[in-house]
Amino acid sequence: MGILSKVMYAWALGSSLLGTMAMAQTDKKPNVIIILTDDQGYGDIAAHGNKVIQTPTMDKLHDEGVRFTNFHSGTTCAPSRSGLLTGADGNRAGVWHTIGGASLLREKFVLMPQVFEDNGYATGMYGKWHLGDAYPYRPQDRGFQETVVHGGGGVGQTPDYWQNNYFDDTYWRNGVPEKFEGYCTDIFFSEAMDFMERKKDHPFFLYISLNAPHGPLNVPQKYYDMYKGEKTINDDQKAYYGMITNIDDNIALLDKKLEVLGLKDNTILIFMTDNGTQTGHKVVKGKVQGYNAGMRGHKGSQYEGGHRVPFLMRWKDGKLTGGRSIDQLAMNFDVLPTLIDLCDLGKVPNLGYDGKSLAPLLNKEVEKLPHRYCVVDNNRLQQPVKWRMSAVMDDDWRLIDGKELYHIRKDPGQEKDIASKHPEKVREMREAYEKWWDYTSRDFSHYEAYKIGVPTIQETAITVHDLHSSDPIAWNQSYIRNPESGKKPAFADGFYMIDVQRDGYYEIELRRWPKESNLAFNATPPQLGQAEKWYNVRPEGVSYPLKSASLDIDALHLDSPVDMKSTNVTFKTYLVKGRKHLKANFTREDGVRFGAFYVYLRKVGALSDQKDTK
């Protein structure tokens, strides 16, 4: 066979193989990838009108796929994630706060990865979870077969591995700590692409839930330098934009990987964010820094800028292409019902989703879905308050706090309150809120509890991040290092919810510093930070002379003096099965009492194992 013949034969064989791969992909159910960024607002994408930020891959997805321009999430991180993963209102799913024990997603809900797993999909999750850091609330407990995650709501928060700072950190792979090299976003995408490589011959569901561009605003040097000379944004925004461009570059790598693996056409790729911008827009002395697409409000706000977010979707085999815009009101809890329809998933629990499938809109079967009202709020409290920082929405109207009324198409910046001109509309929307509140608040009397004494769990670690308290909580490691480094001292007195699974003796260990640090009570870890000015620097650690430690579990009370040269105070006690309030406290020499920052619980024996001392 001549050279030309060999070339033609190789070309024909290659074409045949590619054709076979394409047929195999179209014959199987579509893969699903959800990319969720943290604190990136609607205006933090060039395709949405931002003239400074560089997001060519997001822009390409915006132009190639289908986009929802009236899409909404929760106003903060954990409530938004709970709505996305359950198909239910975030508050009803038990998550209305980001800390304080109110970010544990109710165990009774069947989550998106569990639905896909039940339908034969491989499932993987990489990045930020923020819905519970101990059993049974971890991602590997909720349907994800493979995970690489940080702790809490961000790298460097209290449940995260000690001293993580976005670079060369330790994350948990399927619950086991592992040291990684590189920048956090790069690592999470790299792990996700490795998952794709290994699962390429099998339908997969992949959840890339990033901590970026959430603060602290730590970013590789070259990405900060891309915006270094830009005069219309401040230093924080330069780092913030750099983090987003880094994400964009990683999406480009992922998209290329899909193409190389022959998976691109039959993969539903979704890009979205969890709430409005945190850093991308500021007004200082009348001068605008950044861009917010003309909206009022930022992350946490009940106004449009707090919860209207990007939602970009592409699936070539499903004909979700062409750069089409859909402007009907849609919510993050619509995503799961939509994917169930698009992927034709047959095994689905009958949970009565709050969300509605958007598939009829996407498939051009209807021009509009039936009218509905949707509600978002900000209730970052131990006990949610009715009407607090709330927005009732339909396609055109926004009722804010039950009082202010805006027509969002005529007044996108929500500058003119027209409630007095439309009393009937106000009344109608207030009635919708009343029904919503009655429905979502039915389980408010039930706190979720970490399960203790599970045979497969050797030790359960609980941190002050999940302490039920109305006091300021040490929710990140800066406050662990120095509880008085914020506006108010983070010395909280509260309780943890535990659910003991087996009668027996337990050791309960109280610590000032996390176990992996191996620091004694009297330790003062040095200041931690990077040389570049935009990196967040953690304060020098502060040692407090501690007088005693105490443990209260319902009617049980135990106390012990504290040896400042030791790393912990450990109590041993018998616990019976059931839900309990656990209070673990330290008392300083000056009388200040506060919840132990780290508590470790492990079962050590049953009653029959103990000798009779009578």
Side-chain angles (χ1 to χ4, degrees):
M1 184 182 292
I3 294 176
L4 181 60
S5 298
K6 290 180 180 179
V7 171
M8 293 300 293
Y9 176 76
W11 177 86
L13 179 61
S15 298
S16 176
L17 289 173
L18 287 172
T20 302
M21 289 176 64
M23 288 180 62
Q25 277 296 301
T26 54
D27 286 345
K28 75 170 188 174
K29 291 186 180 297
N31 308 303
V32 176
I33 302 175
I34 297 178
I35 301 171
L36 179 71
T37 66
D38 195 1
D39 288 1
Q40 180 181 359
Y42 187 88
D44 297 324
I45 295 177
H48 290 167
N50 192 314
K51 304 299 184 183
V52 175
I53 200 164
Q54 300 177 42
T55 54
T57 311
M58 297 176 196
D59 301 343
K60 184 178 179 183
L61 183 58
H62 172 276
D63 295 340
E64 288 183 345
V66 177
R67 58 208 180 227
F68 281 82
T69 58
N70 192 8
F71 188 90
H72 299 261
S73 65
T75 64
T76 55
C77 307
S80 183
R81 283 163 174 74
S82 67
L84 171 66
L85 292 173
T86 60
D89 184 280
N91 288 18
R92 186 167 78 90
V95 182
W96 56 84
H97 204 341
T98 55
I99 57 173
S103 63
L104 278 59
L105 202 161
R106 296 202 188 282
E107 190 182 3
K108 69 179 183 180
F109 282 88
V110 178
L111 305 193
M112 189 182 293
Q114 293 169 298
V115 173
F116 276 97
E117 183 181 40
D118 289 346
N119 283 272
Y121 277 67
T123 59
M125 185 259 168
Y126 302 92
K128 170 173 172 170
W129 178 241
H130 204 182
L131 298 170
D133 291 293
Y135 182 84
Y137 304 101
R138 304 167 303 174
Q140 62 265 38
D141 305 322
R142 309 303 295 267
F144 283 112
Q145 298 158 356
E146 299 187 26
T147 64
V148 175
V149 299
H150 62 76
V155 169
Q157 291 193 8
T158 301
D160 198 24
Y161 201 85
W162 182 244
Q163 310 249 79
N164 275 355
N165 72 343
Y166 286 55
F167 295 91
D168 302 332
D169 290 337
T170 297
Y171 305 124
W172 281 271
R173 185 188 295 277
N174 303 326
V176 179
E178 180 179 330
K179 181 76 171 177
F180 290 84
E181 291 185 5
Y183 183 60
C184 54
T185 302
D186 300 339
I187 290 167
F188 296 140
F189 269 96
S190 177
E191 290 293 324
M193 287 185 280
D194 177 69
F195 175 88
M196 288 162 44
E197 175 84 45
R198 289 183 286 106
K199 305 298 181 182
K200 62 181 181 294
D201 298 322
H202 194 86
F204 60 78
F205 169 70
L206 181 57
Y207 180 49
I208 307 173
S209 175
L210 305 172
N211 57 294
H214 189 292
L217 303 174
N218 294 348
V219 63
Q221 178 79 39
K222 70 174 184 178
Y223 286 99
Y224 175 84
D225 288 347
M226 292 175 68
Y227 298 96
K228 189 174 182 180
E230 179 58 52
K231 297 180 179 179
T232 63
I233 55 177
N234 60 40
D235 272 356
D236 281 351
Q237 290 170 330
K238 292 171 185 177
Y240 175 80
Y241 278 20
M243 295 170 84
I244 293 172
T245 300
N246 170 262
I247 294 169
D248 195 84
D249 284 351
N250 274 286
I251 297 174
L253 292 174
L254 181 138
D255 212 28
K256 183 63 176 178
K257 185 74 169 181
L258 285 171
E259 188 174 353
V260 169
L261 295 174
L263 305 177
K264 186 172 181 178
D265 292 350
N266 198 34
T267 295
I268 298 173
L269 178 62
I270 293 173
F271 173 84
M272 59 184 296
T273 74
D274 63 347
N275 45 246
T277 190
Q278 171 70 15
T279 307
H281 180 261
K282 295 182 182 298
V283 179
V284 180
K285 296 181 178 179
K287 182 180 179 181
V288 175
Q289 297 174 330
Y291 178 74
N292 202 28
M295 297 184 295
R296 177 178 177 181
H298 305 132
K299 173 184 177 178
S301 173
Q302 65 273 52
Y303 293 97
E304 201 79 351
H307 47 83
R308 181 184 168 208
V309 298
F311 187 88
L312 313 175
M313 189 175 194
R314 186 194 68 204
W315 178 28
K316 185 176 180 180
D317 286 351
K319 296 181 173 56
L320 301 185
T321 57
R324 180 163 53 103
S325 291
I326 299 174
D327 66 356
Q328 186 167 354
L329 176 70
M331 291 285 295
N332 61 347
F333 56 48
D334 296 329
V335 175
L336 177 53
T338 302
L339 291 175
I340 289 171
D341 281 355
L342 292 178
C343 299
D344 193 23
L345 303 183
K347 296 178 64 177
V348 178
N350 183 16
L351 294 179
Y353 295 115
D354 297 332
K356 304 297 181 184
S357 174
L358 306 174
L361 286 172
L362 291 164
N363 295 330
K364 300 182 181 179
E365 297 168 7
V366 299
E367 292 186 3
K368 288 183 72 71
L369 294 175
H371 175 268
R372 61 173 171 170
Y373 283 116
C374 297
V375 180
V376 296
D377 71 357
N378 181 337
N379 257 302
R380 297 177 69 182
L381 303 166
Q382 276 293 298
Q383 297 173 308
V385 175
K386 197 173 182 181
W387 294 108
R388 184 181 189 271
M389 299 183 69
S390 63
V392 184
M393 304 182 290
D394 70 7
D395 282 341
D396 298 325
W397 300 89
R398 303 290 185 266
L399 180 69
I400 304 297
D401 300 337
K403 301 174 183 178
E404 303 170 17
L405 184 68
Y406 301 94
H407 194 284
I408 206 68
R409 296 189 191 276
K410 297 178 181 178
D411 180 20
Q414 294 174 286
E415 298 175 346
K416 299 177 181 178
D417 177 9
I418 54 176
S420 62
K421 297 180 180 180
H422 300 275
E424 292 185 2
K425 189 65 178 178
V426 172
R427 189 181 310 112
E428 176 186 323
M429 297 181 79
R430 284 182 63 89
E431 289 175 358
Y433 179 92
E434 292 283 359
K435 292 178 182 178
W436 171 84
W437 178 267
D438 178 65
Y439 173 64
T440 58
S441 65
R442 291 173 186 174
D443 285 346
F444 280 0
S445 62
H446 176 83
Y447 280 135
E448 294 295 301
Y450 286 128
K451 291 187 175 181
I452 310 303
V454 177
T456 56
I457 306 295
Q458 183 176 1
E459 182 177 75
T460 298
I462 304 177
T463 76
V464 70
H465 183 279
D466 292 325
L467 185 74
H468 290 278
S469 176
S470 57
D471 297 328
I473 292 172
W475 57 272
N476 71 53
Q477 292 178 16
S478 289
Y479 293 116
I480 299 299
R481 298 168 72 86
N482 182 358
E484 297 178 278
S485 60
K487 295 179 180 179
K488 294 182 179 179
F491 293 118
D493 185 7
F495 65 90
Y496 299 102
M497 286 299 304
I498 62 171
D499 189 351
V500 179
Q501 299 298 292
R502 294 185 292 164
D503 293 356
Y505 279 92
Y506 288 78
E507 286 184 346
I508 304 175
E509 184 179 328
L510 280 56
R511 286 180 176 251
R512 163 77 170 86
W513 310 100
K515 181 174 286 190
E516 66 266 20
S517 73
N518 201 34
L519 293 172
F521 287 109
N522 61 2
T524 55
Q527 187 181 68
L528 178 70
Q530 302 287 341
E532 292 85 352
K533 64 181 178 180
W534 62 89
Y535 280 56
N536 287 53
V537 177
R538 294 187 198 150
E540 182 177 353
V542 175
S543 175
Y544 294 107
L546 300 179
K547 179 181 179 182
S548 62
S550 62
L551 184 68
D552 293 271
I553 306 176
D554 293 342
L556 174 71
H557 175 76
L558 301 170
D559 57 44
S560 172
V562 174
D563 177 1
M564 291 295 293
K565 296 180 181 180
S566 178
T567 60
N568 67 88
V569 173
T570 300
F571 298 95
K572 184 175 181 180
T573 186
Y574 189 82
L575 299 178
V576 297
K577 289 175 61 175
R579 287 168 50 89
K580 306 178 189 303
H581 287 67
L582 182 151
K583 300 188 73 172
N585 287 297
F586 290 121
T587 301
R588 297 192 327 194
E589 291 286 358
D590 60 3
V592 173
R593 181 182 175 185
F594 63 97
F597 293 156
Y598 297 90
V599 181
Y600 300 86
L601 305 96
R602 52 190 173 270
K603 190 174 186 301
V604 293
L607 184 61
S608 58
D609 299 329
Q610 309 300 315
K611 294 181 179 180
D612 189 349
T613 58
K614 292 184 180 179

